[in-house]
Amino acid sequence: LERLDSLMGLVGELVIARSRLERRLGQLERVGQHLLFGRTRIVQVARDLEAWQEARPLSAAGSFHPTDATDVPAGGESAAESLSQLLAGLDLERYDDSAILARGIAEIAADISEVHGQLADLIRSVSDETSQFQRLTGALRNEVTRARMVPVGTLFARVARQVRETAKAAGKRVVLQSSGETVEVDNTIGEQLADPLLHLVRNAVAHGIEAEAERRFLGKAADG
């Protein structure tokens, strides 16, 4: 009963450990979804950047650059027109597009860094849970092995009965002495040992121990 209780306790711990692992796997799946979302955002930003780069030469070809302002005469209405052309040459719309792209890339990098930290924590947690799971399975294997073990003393009891019957049939006085009854062996091995051990004991009684009169004559104790 003590071993069964121990086995049930280990099985309960294994169920808990499995639940923790399943929960960690669910968290890993969510982190994977975050990474996939980040990848999608990166692809979109890359496409936007490519489109912006392709459109830039066309815009630049027809735009006014600040260096062109030196060719415009100063003063009056011409000066106002020069200022307007100068502001147009700064191409603020294109600057805004590039700033948005840069900000988007920075946000994606920050998100990926956060997801990487979560992933590292989850990997450490899964590693700890796996070590615990391995410890529990090892302990369970040992307990199952112990559950198959039986004291060899139970086999000695069968031998003692056979000794009494064999000695009575042979008209001899025999006393069985044994030790190590608490040593445990696998139940299957114990069953395989039973017949050879009984055969050895019967041979010992029949051929290894003299009759009572002969033992007395040789100066031995009456009991073999």
Side-chain angles (χ1 to χ4, degrees):
L1 288 177
E2 180 182 355
R3 289 181 180 176
L4 286 175
D5 289 339
S6 178
L7 284 172
M8 289 300 298
L10 286 173
V11 170
E13 291 186 44
L14 278 174
V15 171
I16 295 173
R18 186 188 66 183
S19 299
R20 288 198 299 262
L21 279 175
E22 291 176 349
R23 185 168 62 251
R24 298 300 184 192
L25 289 176
Q27 294 174 346
L28 282 173
E29 290 179 358
R30 289 192 291 272
V31 169
Q33 292 174 356
H34 291 319
L35 287 175
L36 181 61
F37 178 69
R39 177 184 177 275
T40 303
R41 292 175 61 191
I42 289 175
V43 171
Q44 184 60 48
V45 169
R47 290 175 179 173
D48 293 343
L49 181 60
E50 183 179 3
W52 180 72
Q53 289 290 344
E54 290 177 354
R56 184 177 181 182
L58 298 176
S59 300
S63 62
F64 178 81
H65 293 280
T67 55
D68 298 336
T70 57
D71 299 332
V72 180
E77 186 177 348
S78 298
E81 292 176 355
S82 300
L83 179 59
S84 177
Q85 292 175 349
L86 177 62
L87 291 176
L90 293 177
D91 201 355
L92 296 178
E93 181 179 355
R94 196 161 61 242
Y95 173 77
D96 289 342
D97 290 343
S98 62
I100 292 173
L101 286 172
R103 186 164 57 251
I105 292 174
E107 291 176 355
I108 293 173
D111 292 342
I112 291 178
S113 178
E114 181 180 356
V115 172
H116 179 268
Q118 295 176 357
L119 184 61
D121 293 339
L122 280 174
I123 289 175
R124 285 192 294 269
S125 298
V126 170
S127 178
D128 294 340
E129 298 291 350
T130 303
S131 298
Q132 174 73 358
F133 202 82
Q134 291 176 344
R135 185 191 67 80
L136 288 173
T137 53
L140 182 61
R141 182 177 61 249
N142 292 336
E143 286 297 325
V144 170
T145 302
R146 288 187 60 220
R148 291 176 53 89
M149 306 292 281
V150 294
V152 75
T154 57
L155 183 59
F156 291 171
R158 296 166 60 181
V159 172
R161 183 173 62 254
Q162 187 67 35
V163 165
R164 290 193 299 269
E165 294 175 356
T166 305
K168 183 178 180 181
K172 298 178 180 179
R173 297 174 57 180
V174 178
V175 176
L176 176 65
Q177 296 179 349
S178 61
S179 61
E181 290 85 356
T182 58
V183 175
E184 294 183 338
V185 296
D186 188 278
N187 184 60
T188 304
I189 296 177
E191 292 297 328
Q192 294 175 353
L193 286 175
D195 290 340
L197 188 57
L198 291 174
H199 182 69
L200 289 173
V201 169
R202 284 195 296 265
N203 283 345
V205 174
H207 308 293
I209 297 180
E210 305 89 348
E212 179 181 354
E214 183 179 356
R215 291 181 64 82
R216 291 184 182 280
F217 177 77
L218 295 174
K220 296 181 179 181
D223 296 332

